[in-house]
Amino acid sequence: MYHLRLPPLPRYSRRWVRGDVASGLTVAAYLIPQVMAYGALAGVAPVAGLWAIAPAIVAYAALGSSRLLSVGPESTTALMTAAAVAPLAAGDPSRHATLAATLAVGVGVLAIAAGVARLGVIAHLLSRPILVGYLAGVAVIMIVGQMEKVTGVPVDSGSLYGELHSFAGSLNHLHLGTLAVSAASLALLVALHRWTPRLPSPLIVIMIATFAVWVFGLDGHGVRVVGDLEAGLPHPVLPTGSDLVDLAPSALGILFVGFADNMLTARAFGGRDSHRIDANRELFALGAANLGAGAGQGFPVSSSGSRTALAASSGAHTQVYSLVALAAVALVLAFGRPALAMFPRATLGAIIIFAAVRLIDVAGFRRLASFRRSELALALTAAGGVLVFDILYGVLVAIGVSLLDLLARVARPHDAVLGQVPGLDGMHDVDDYPSALTVPGLFAYRYDSPLFFANAENFRRRALAALDACTDDVDWFVLNMEAIVEVDITALDALEELRAEVTGRGITFGLAHVKHDLLDDLAAYGLTAKVQPEMIFPTMRAATAAHRLHSKERHP
């Protein structure tokens, strides 16, 4: 049974107080408008984003292994929540909020179960090209989903293409005041981010937009605002079993994406002060945070790279900064609700679009294209999967494409005929060294991959083709197995077929660099009984020496 071991609390230094407090207040200023926007993105009341962060922050501060990771509502999980819940809610806001909270509970339960099973390795299933393409697809969906808020054009919710079609057909309802507020907010966000990146630009924009609504009475001219917020704490609603079953596939997808994002962000900032990130502990922390968010009538939470970066740049040292930010949010909810009610929805939509545009990693696409075209193709395929199959199925497409790419690479690996290079120890690929010379009578072959069902036939065929292409007289065939660290039954069948074909030509078959664990597998299959014991060599040097001795005995 797996036992969760909490990390030892770092000895807190009074020198950190100033940095943690200043960072907490800075993050709170950025967090309040951001998570309200993400609440709207998830399809719940904007204030639900604020309620969701309280238990999430406390849970992660107690259980998480990162000192800087900012946990709470995040754009991708918010959008996935809306996609999962909207079809089941059927337009009922109360039902939508209950299902969103239930989804958070489902994510929490699955995360804790994954932590118990020590499945932290799943964080590595998404490769960099897949993440770049996936986030680009998510960004497009986020932008399209905000068209109604930033233009005032009524849009029927549904698929991405349904929203685009609905928007194009209703352009005659464009509200110029709403468009002006959103355009001005977006322009100000871009300007502040470019010229004053250390300031909480979303908070500044929200304050200016709210002041404009109050001074000019824009809400009386058709510019929609957040409206009155509930004064009391949310009332927890226990999820039903049927709801949990219906939302389980969506919860699994959100967990995978959210956990991968957690690990990438935590590791990126963990290296700055050399603290270790424990993947399985992160699963427990993420699970507890989502259980808390669900109990607080919020929605699934993950981590925010932008808030984490802001905390790091503001001088944060420990998760105390998150608790300071939480205290600041509580004060705002207690005394600042009238101001929050005047937030224009157009500005919240502009904040989401601004965050979405930053998810599109143009430099990342260029880097992939300059490195290898196939990597770029993977990124574009992942983006297309999200746009064509919707975001939840896009997760599965991204995972599938990543695994297929891995299989394709392993199924067609590099192979080599080995020879000796003057002045260089060992045996090397003759294609890499024009001066390499094969050992007369010895055909040394290397296959640079584990052997399994996907490449077994490729291995057998290419080994025989390389032997057929050899113009020298060959009396020994030695397979260098230093790269073959794993086999399955299909691969062993292919290896036995290769041995039978080689020996049928009157050539002695041998093995070199066989790992001990692999030798046990070969013995269990019965292959070592068919290969002479003296033809299994620890190194290619030993194989070459044995062949030289054999040649001298045959031709003294």
Side-chain angles (χ1 to χ4, degrees):
M1 181 177 179
Y2 179 73
H3 297 283
L4 173 62
R5 295 180 180 178
L6 294 179
L9 292 175
R11 182 174 298 176
Y12 197 81
S13 171
R14 287 186 296 178
R15 295 176 301 170
W16 297 346
V17 173
R18 182 175 181 179
D20 282 340
V21 171
S23 178
L25 296 176
T26 302
V27 170
Y30 188 86
L31 179 149
I32 292 172
Q34 187 186 54
V35 300
M36 290 185 68
Y38 292 159
L41 181 63
V44 298
V47 73
L50 296 177
W51 292 126
I53 65 171
I57 285 177
V58 173
Y60 189 84
L63 298 175
S65 60
S66 172
R67 299 176 187 173
L68 295 178
L69 192 68
S70 177
V71 172
E74 185 266 335
S75 58
T76 307
T77 52
L79 183 59
M80 294 178 73
T81 298
V85 168
L88 300 176
D92 183 350
S94 177
R95 172 76 170 157
H96 192 112
T98 299
L99 288 173
T102 302
L103 183 59
V105 172
V107 172
V109 170
L110 290 175
I112 292 176
V116 171
R118 308 193 72 173
L119 296 180
V121 69
I122 64 175
H124 305 293
L125 286 181
L126 284 181
S127 63
R128 173 58 57 183
I130 296 301
L131 284 173
V132 170
Y134 173 77
L135 291 176
V138 167
V140 173
I141 295 177
M142 288 172 62
I143 292 170
V144 172
Q146 301 309 304
M147 297 308 294
E148 180 174 1
K149 291 187 181 69
V150 299
T151 63
V153 175
V155 176
D156 293 331
S157 61
S159 66
L160 173 70
Y161 304 100
E163 290 182 354
L164 288 173
H165 183 268
S166 175
F167 178 77
S170 304
L171 278 175
N172 57 309
H173 296 289
L174 177 68
H175 189 267
L176 295 179
T178 300
L179 180 62
V181 170
S182 58
S185 300
L186 188 58
L188 188 55
L189 280 168
V190 172
L192 289 174
H193 178 71
R194 180 175 181 181
W195 301 112
T196 56
R198 296 180 68 88
L199 294 180
S201 53
L203 178 65
I204 295 173
V205 171
I206 280 289
M207 291 175 63
I208 294 174
T210 303
F211 182 74
V213 169
W214 177 65
V215 171
F216 300 106
L218 297 180
D219 54 329
H221 293 82
V223 176
R224 299 181 61 190
V225 295
V226 170
D228 293 334
L229 304 177
E230 295 183 7
L233 293 172
H235 302 289
V237 177
L238 294 177
T240 64
S242 61
D243 288 339
L244 287 172
V245 172
D246 291 339
L247 292 170
S250 301
L252 187 61
I254 291 175
L255 169 61
F256 185 86
V257 174
F259 178 58
D261 186 45
N262 262 37
M263 290 302 299
L264 286 171
T265 305
R267 285 173 176 166
F269 289 91
R272 298 189 178 189
D273 59 359
S274 301
H275 66 270
R276 180 175 175 269
I277 305 301
D278 186 312
N280 291 308
R281 185 173 291 124
E282 287 299 300
L283 279 171
F284 279 103
L286 183 62
N290 275 281
L291 286 176
Q297 288 299 282
F299 53 92
V301 297
S302 179
S303 63
S304 169
S306 59
R307 294 198 301 268
T308 304
L310 184 62
S313 64
S314 303
H317 296 280
T318 68
Q319 285 291 331
V320 169
Y321 90 87
S322 293
L323 301 178
V324 172
L326 176 59
V329 171
L331 291 174
V332 170
L333 284 173
F335 303 107
R337 286 184 298 105
L340 295 179
M342 297 297 290
F343 281 11
R345 290 181 176 269
T347 301
L348 292 178
I351 292 174
I352 293 175
I353 291 176
F354 178 70
V357 171
R358 296 174 66 188
L359 287 179
I360 303 176
D361 188 0
V362 177
F365 278 105
R366 290 175 179 170
R367 180 166 168 252
L368 295 175
S370 62
F371 172 67
R372 186 182 293 144
R373 291 293 178 88
S374 63
E375 301 283 295
L376 176 62
L378 280 176
L380 294 176
T381 301
V386 171
L387 296 177
V388 173
F389 300 109
D390 208 347
I391 191 166
L392 291 175
Y393 293 104
V395 175
L396 300 179
V397 169
I399 298 172
V401 170
S402 183
L403 295 179
L404 285 175
D405 177 62
L406 174 63
L407 284 175
R409 292 181 184 277
V410 178
R412 301 294 184 269
H414 175 267
D415 67 339
V417 176
L418 304 178
Q420 294 178 326
V421 181
L424 190 62
D425 190 29
M427 299 190 74
H428 306 275
D429 187 348
V430 296
D431 291 334
D432 292 340
Y433 295 90
S435 61
L437 298 173
T438 57
V439 177
L442 172 63
F443 185 82
Y445 179 76
R446 190 183 71 214
Y447 193 75
D448 295 336
S449 169
L451 286 182
F452 65 116
F453 64 92
N455 63 10
E457 178 59 25
N458 176 265
F459 157 71
R460 187 193 68 82
R461 178 175 51 80
R462 288 169 66 180
L464 290 175
L467 180 60
D468 292 337
C470 181
T471 58
D472 299 333
D473 292 332
V474 175
D475 54 10
W476 277 24
F477 181 111
V478 176
L479 175 64
N480 183 344
M481 300 186 70
E482 62 181 323
I484 303 177
V485 295
E486 183 63 46
V487 293
D488 63 10
I489 191 70
T490 307
L492 289 174
D493 288 340
L495 183 56
E496 166 56 20
E497 291 174 12
L498 173 65
R499 186 205 64 81
E501 175 69 22
V502 169
T503 56
R505 300 183 185 187
I507 302 173
T508 302
F509 185 84
L511 304 172
H513 283 292
V514 185
K515 307 293 190 297
H516 288 291
D517 291 343
L518 184 57
L519 192 61
D520 293 338
D521 292 336
L522 298 181
Y525 181 83
L527 190 62
T528 53
K530 298 179 180 179
V531 178
Q532 302 173 30
E534 64 271 16
M535 289 301 296
I536 300 178
F537 305 100
T539 64
M540 284 304 302
R541 181 196 295 266
T544 305
H547 180 265
R548 185 180 300 113
L549 180 62
H550 169 76
S551 298
K552 287 181 179 180
E553 291 175 350
R554 291 185 58 190
H555 308 287

